[in-house]
Amino acid sequence: MGKIQIKKKDIWIDMTPMSDVMTLLLCFFMLTSTFLTPEPIKVNQPSSVSEVKIPDNVLNILVSPEGKIYVGTENKNTMLAMMQDVTAKFDISLNGAQLKNFKEDAMIGAPLSQFTAYYDLGTEKMAEAIQTMGIPTDSIDGGMSEFQEWIKAAHEADPDMKLAIKCDATTPYKYVKKMMSELQDMNENRYQLITNLKTASEE
């Protein structure tokens, strides 16, 4: 008796729906993702059990382990308004190239005495130079310090601006206390501290 041959059929799977779904997912994550702004220095902030969302209109105050202070906000228009306010007060002007470098910089950290020279540097040299700089907290001619001038300019650019302090876990308390004293002298007594969320293993 002869064998019955079963006719083989090719299996065809339509991949169009899967590719559509993958494209939609890719678009979703690209449009909803938020990218972290690079900071002039890396800080390992301490941990805490408090979990509060930071508002959008916040001025970040970064304090390095060496006591260097940097300020910045995610809103580039506010940063530009702050710069124009402070530089106009101290008769400092930036040319086109310097202004372009300022807009690309993540945070403000150059003293006013080196402001134009700092933004004359290339992007790579700026990243190196900012490590040794920082906004001075010494008063200018018995008045406000440069740090206080930047805080004042931030509030003038955005009256609803909130303050958030981010320090390294190894930053000596004297540097943090000095910076907080500067804020208290301006009647700035409300601010948030940025920390890592403490895990179960750290408790």
Side-chain angles (χ1 to χ4, degrees), residues 3-21:
K3 293 182 179 180
I4 300 174
Q5 293 184 350
I6 300 174
K7 187 177 180 181
K8 294 183 179 179
K9 295 182 179 180
D10 293 332
I11 299 175
W12 180 79
I13 300 175
D14 186 5
M15 299 296 291
T16 304
M18 182 178 290
S19 62
D20 289 343
V21 170

Side-chain angles (χ1 to χ4, degrees), residues 13 21 47-48 56 58 65-66 109 118 129 138 147 174 176:
I13 300 175
V21 170
S47 300
S48 71
D56 294 330
V58 63
E66 296 77 28
Y118 169 70
D138 301 325
F147 173 67
K174 62 179 180 180
V176 182

Side-chain angles (χ1 to χ4, degrees), residues 28-37 56 74:
F28 171 77
F29 287 117
M30 289 177 63
L31 294 173
T32 58
S33 297
T34 55
F35 298 95
L36 294 176
T37 304
D56 294 330
E74 296 287 340

Side-chain angles (χ1 to χ4, degrees), residues 1-201:
M1 185 175 179
K3 293 182 179 180
I4 300 174
Q5 293 184 350
I6 300 174
K7 187 177 180 181
K8 294 183 179 179
K9 295 182 179 180
D10 293 332
I11 299 175
W12 180 79
I13 300 175
D14 186 5
M15 299 296 291
T16 304
M18 182 178 290
S19 62
D20 289 343
V21 170
M22 292 300 295
T23 304
L24 288 172
L25 286 173
L26 179 62
C27 291
F28 171 77
F29 287 117
M30 289 177 63
L31 294 173
T32 58
S33 297
T34 55
F35 298 95
L36 294 176
T37 304
E39 295 176 338
I41 57 169
K42 290 184 178 180
V43 295
N44 179 26
Q45 59 258 31
S47 300
S48 71
V49 295
S50 177
E51 187 176 8
V52 179
K53 184 179 180 181
I54 298 175
D56 294 330
N57 58 331
V58 63
L59 181 72
N60 293 307
I61 303 172
L62 186 64
V63 185
S64 74
E66 296 77 28
K68 308 292 184 183
I69 298 177
Y70 309 87
V71 298
T73 178
E74 296 287 340
N75 192 322
K76 293 300 180 182
N77 292 329
T78 303
M79 288 268 286
L80 184 61
M82 290 168 55
M83 183 272 294
Q84 291 172 341
D85 185 2
V86 174
T87 53
K89 187 176 294 185
F90 292 92
D91 197 23
I92 299 172
S93 59
L94 300 183
N95 59 34
Q98 293 168 342
L99 185 60
K100 181 177 180 293
N101 288 335
F102 174 83
K103 291 179 179 178
E104 293 177 356
D105 210 5
M107 301 186 82
I108 300 168
L112 294 177
S113 60
Q114 305 176 46
F115 209 69
T116 55
Y118 169 70
Y119 288 109
D120 272 332
L121 302 173
T123 307
E124 293 183 2
K125 291 184 178 180
M126 283 171 57
E128 295 177 3
I130 199 68
Q131 305 282 334
T132 59
M133 294 183 177
I135 300 175
T137 54
D138 301 325
S139 62
I140 305 172
D141 298 328
M144 298 176 69
S145 66
E146 289 186 25
F147 173 67
Q148 291 174 329
E149 290 287 356
W150 285 113
I151 300 297
K152 181 181 177 183
H155 282 302
E156 290 179 353
D158 184 356
D160 297 325
M161 181 72 72
K162 305 295 188 299
L163 303 181
I165 301 171
K166 185 176 181 179
C167 303
D168 192 274
T170 60
T171 301
Y173 177 68
K174 62 179 180 180
Y175 296 139
V176 182
K177 182 180 179 181
K178 170 66 175 173
M179 182 267 301
M180 288 183 174
S181 297
E182 292 280 302
L183 294 175
Q184 290 174 351
D185 290 343
M186 302 175 66
N187 293 322
E188 292 285 351
N189 299 311
R190 296 179 65 87
Y191 41 78
Q192 294 175 314
L193 299 176
I194 301 177
T195 60
N196 289 324
L197 185 63
K198 184 177 289 187
T199 60
S201 59

